[in-house]
């Protein structure tokens, strides 16, 4: 191949790598954050923050009947003004449902448990994309996957000589195969 053609091809490779890298850089970070969160789903809830608070109920609030005024006064105790619905699961108890919260009150023990659910910032949104929960996103995710392959391939040919693929690059590529091979063998043996 003539040197001039090789130089043009090399420049095109570098420009493609650079431009795809810039274009997809934010999405790469989003997928990495989401991947970290989803890897540890057994340790924490990557989508929601669930806050529980134990509440003492005064004896003065013991109901003659469970009605709207009682439900409203219980709501004020936990900073909720508008309930969706309430029910009486068993005698002496009431469970009140709010937007993204609930309050379970036990009048026999004079206690209540207020539970609020909030979306975990950044992680909730990034997980929507990582799990393909957004309608139509799958097609863009496929484009992104192909672009990552292209980014990888173009990156292999950026450096030349002893620092490039023909030099130490081939050894790093070979070393990169080791973790999946080792973990696959461990998986198969267990």
């Amino acid at each position: 191949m003539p040197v001039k053609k090789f130089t043009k091809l090399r420049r095109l490779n570098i420009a493609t790598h650079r431009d795809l890298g810039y274009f997809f850089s934010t999405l790469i970070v989003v997928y990495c954050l989401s991947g970290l969160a989803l890897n540890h789903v057994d340790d924490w809830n990557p989508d929601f923050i669930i806050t529980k608070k134990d509440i003492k109920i005064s004896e003065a609030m013991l109901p003659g009947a469970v009605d709207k005024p009682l439900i409203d006064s219980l709501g004020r105790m936990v900073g909720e003004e508008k309930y969706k619905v309430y029910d009486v699961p068993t005698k002496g108890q009431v469970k009140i449902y709010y937007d993204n919260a609930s309050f379970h009150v036990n009048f026999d023990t004079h206690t209540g448990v207020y539970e609020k659910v909030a979306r975990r910032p950044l992680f909730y949104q990034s997980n929507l994309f990582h799990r393909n929960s957004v309608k139509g996103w799958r097609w863009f995710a496929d484009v992104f996957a192909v672009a990552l392959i292209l980014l990888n391939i173009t990156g292999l040919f950026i450096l030349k000589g002893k620092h490039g693929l023909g030099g130490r690059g081939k050894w790093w590529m070979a070393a990169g195969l080791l973790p999946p091979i080792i973990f696959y063998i461990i998986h198969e043996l267990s």
Side-chain angles (χ1 to χ4, degrees):
M1 178 181 281
V3 174
K4 198 171 193 177
K5 272 191 175 180
F6 182 73
T7 303
K8 279 185 175 182
L9 190 60
R10 183 167 165 67
R11 283 189 184 146
L12 177 63
N13 181 68
I14 291 170
T16 302
H17 183 79
R18 179 197 62 222
D19 294 345
L20 283 176
Y22 283 140
F23 184 80
F24 288 108
S25 62
T26 304
L27 194 53
I28 290 169
V29 171
V30 166
Y31 270 71
C32 289
L33 278 175
S34 176
L36 286 169
L38 294 174
N39 279 347
H40 299 279
V41 75
D42 292 337
D43 303 321
W44 71 317
N45 185 327
D47 290 317
F48 298 101
I49 300 167
I50 301 169
T51 310
K52 286 184 179 182
K53 189 175 177 185
D54 293 325
I55 307 289
K56 259 324 222 178
I57 310 294
S58 72
E59 285 192 47
M61 292 196 74
L62 287 174
V66 175
D67 54 11
K68 185 176 178 357
L70 173 68
I71 300 301
D72 288 340
S73 63
L74 289 168
R76 285 190 292 276
M77 287 180 68
V78 292
E80 296 283 354
E81 294 190 20
K82 190 175 178 187
Y83 67 92
K84 286 182 166 184
V85 68
Y86 68 89
D87 69 9
V88 180
T90 60
K91 188 177 179 197
Q93 295 184 22
V94 66
K95 189 154 187 184
I96 312 164
Y97 299 91
Y98 308 97
D99 281 332
N100 303 315
S102 67
F103 189 23
H104 190 170
V105 178
N106 185 325
F107 294 108
D108 296 333
T109 60
H110 308 289
T111 60
V113 177
Y114 176 71
E115 189 172 278
K116 189 163 185 76
V117 178
R119 290 179 177 172
R120 192 174 297 281
L122 291 176
F123 288 103
Y124 176 83
Q125 293 81 2
S126 65
N127 291 341
L128 284 176
F129 293 104
H130 203 144
R131 288 190 303 247
N132 286 325
S133 300
V134 175
K135 188 175 179 162
W137 180 254
R138 179 184 313 170
W139 301 111
F140 189 79
D142 290 344
V143 169
F144 178 53
V146 170
L148 284 177
I149 293 168
L150 193 56
L151 246 170
N152 185 31
I153 291 169
T154 57
L156 294 174
F157 300 102
I158 298 263
L159 295 176
K160 297 191 282 187
K162 68 178 183 176
H163 297 292
L165 187 59
R168 67 191 230 184
K170 66 179 172 264
W171 301 115
W172 282 110
M173 276 186 70
L177 280 171
L178 289 177
I181 290 171
I182 291 168
F183 280 90
Y184 178 76
I185 290 169
I186 292 169
H187 171 75
E188 288 298 309
L189 293 176
S190 59

